[in-house]
Amino acid sequence: MKNIYHQILNSKAKGEKLLAILLDPDKLAVENLLDLIQKINQSPATHIFVGGSSFDGTHLDELITDLKAKINLPFLLFPGNPSQISNKADGILFLTLLSGRNPDYLIEHQVNAVPILKKTNLEIISTGYILIESGNETSVERVSKTKPLDRNNHNYALQTAQAGEFIGNKLIYLEAGSGAKLPVPQQMIALVSQNITIPLIVGGGIRSLQEIQNCFKSGADLVVIGTAFEKDTNFFNS
Ligand code: 1GP
């Protein structure tokens, strides 16, 4: 049954916060997979996101099958391009890069993804993806050839998120970019979360448990951790 989005909505309604671990297949060390799986199972993660800016999709089906056999969490694809689609996952964040003005990431990749998606049973979750300036150039910026939004212009970030909601996005994702120097500002998270009705995802550059809690307190419904867990699988025990 396709119910991941409903579960996210239910959690938001109950004020239960969600946490996703982002796995970038390009960065996974296959020899350490068992340790990784064990640490994920001991962590408070509620979702697994799979994807990366440059990953070409090689062995994605096998990787997700192996991980899903040992991790009992919903797997959502978080694709940088249509080659990162696998029917072995449970769902896909169907992203539109709302902060950019590159038609490839506004509609071209989405159109090209349709024939691939039609052959899958993935739950498709329309997601407005908003890149926020974070102190250094991130891979999303480089690969998408778009500029992030000004991190000090909270109103414009809100306007962009609201446009996403009006278009029909089911989720808004405020993204500082993987490995970002600075995470999304707390005040921006607060302003956006208070003025949209759909769930808010926040990620990029979050390096401590305290920072995760800060994002939740500011109003994030789901926080994404990639690099910090990748670098130290004991991250959640620290
Ligand atoms: C990137 O938001 C995610 O798309 C996670 O970022 O790798 O910096 O945790 P980090």
Side-chain angles (χ1 to χ4, degrees):
M1 196 169 97
K2 297 186 176 180
N3 60 7
I4 300 172
Y5 184 63
H6 279 109
Q7 285 167 358
I8 295 174
L9 285 179
N10 280 340
S11 298
K12 180 175 171 63
K14 289 190 222 153
E16 287 168 6
K17 300 298 183 178
L18 303 170
L19 183 77
I21 290 180
L22 170 65
L23 302 176
D24 181 344
D26 261 344
K27 297 182 188 159
L28 286 186
V30 181
E31 61 280 10
N32 295 335
L33 223 47
L34 280 178
D35 173 61
L36 182 86
I37 290 167
Q38 195 182 22
K39 295 289 164 44
I40 290 173
N41 285 332
Q42 291 163 356
S43 81
T46 57
H47 293 77
I48 301 294
F49 286 1
V50 182
S53 299
S54 326
F55 173 56
D56 67 3
T58 311
H59 304 309
L60 184 58
D61 285 355
E62 294 92 320
L63 177 70
I64 295 179
T65 303
D66 285 356
L67 293 172
K68 270 186 73 80
K70 299 185 183 77
I71 300 169
N72 187 25
L73 293 175
F75 276 60
L76 281 171
L77 300 172
F78 175 50
N81 60 64
S83 70
Q84 297 178 23
I85 296 174
S86 164
N87 196 21
K88 305 294 179 192
D90 300 300
I92 178 168
L93 297 181
F94 198 61
L95 303 167
T96 304
L97 185 57
L98 297 176
S99 49
R101 298 296 178 263
N102 179 348
D104 286 351
Y105 290 86
L106 287 166
I107 189 63
E108 178 76 9
H109 283 318
Q110 290 81 346
V111 171
N112 292 337
V114 170
I116 309 169
L117 288 170
K118 283 287 180 189
K119 292 185 191 142
T120 74
N121 297 312
L122 293 166
E123 178 176 345
I124 298 170
I125 307 176
S126 165
T127 303
Y129 189 55
I130 302 177
L131 185 61
I132 307 297
E133 187 193 352
S134 61
N136 53 349
E137 192 192 47
T138 58
S139 336
V140 190
E141 192 178 338
R142 191 168 28 79
V143 172
S144 69
K145 299 187 181 69
T146 66
K147 288 286 161 213
L149 298 190
D150 179 350
R151 62 183 289 106
N152 298 310
N153 193 342
H154 302 172
N155 281 326
Y156 194 71
L158 171 61
Q159 200 177 320
T160 306
Q162 287 174 321
E165 180 165 9
F166 294 165
I167 286 167
N169 291 148
K170 292 178 168 174
L171 298 170
I172 292 294
Y173 191 143
L174 288 180
E175 167 75 281
S178 194
K181 204 161 147 190
L182 303 168
V184 176
Q186 297 301 320
Q187 284 174 306
M188 184 185 281
I189 298 172
L191 184 72
V192 172
S193 75
Q194 284 160 19
N195 290 285
I196 59 172
T197 66
I198 51 178
L200 178 64
I201 302 178
V202 176
I206 297 168
R207 292 192 180 76
S208 69
L209 300 180
Q210 186 57 54
E211 283 180 347
I212 296 177
Q213 287 312 318
N214 293 345
C215 291
F216 286 148
K217 275 187 211 143
S218 296
D221 298 297
L222 187 155
V223 169
V224 186
I225 290 292
T227 308
F229 182 72
E230 216 169 73
K231 284 192 178 155
D232 175 15
T233 52
N234 290 312
F235 173 80
F236 292 104
N237 307 324
S238 55

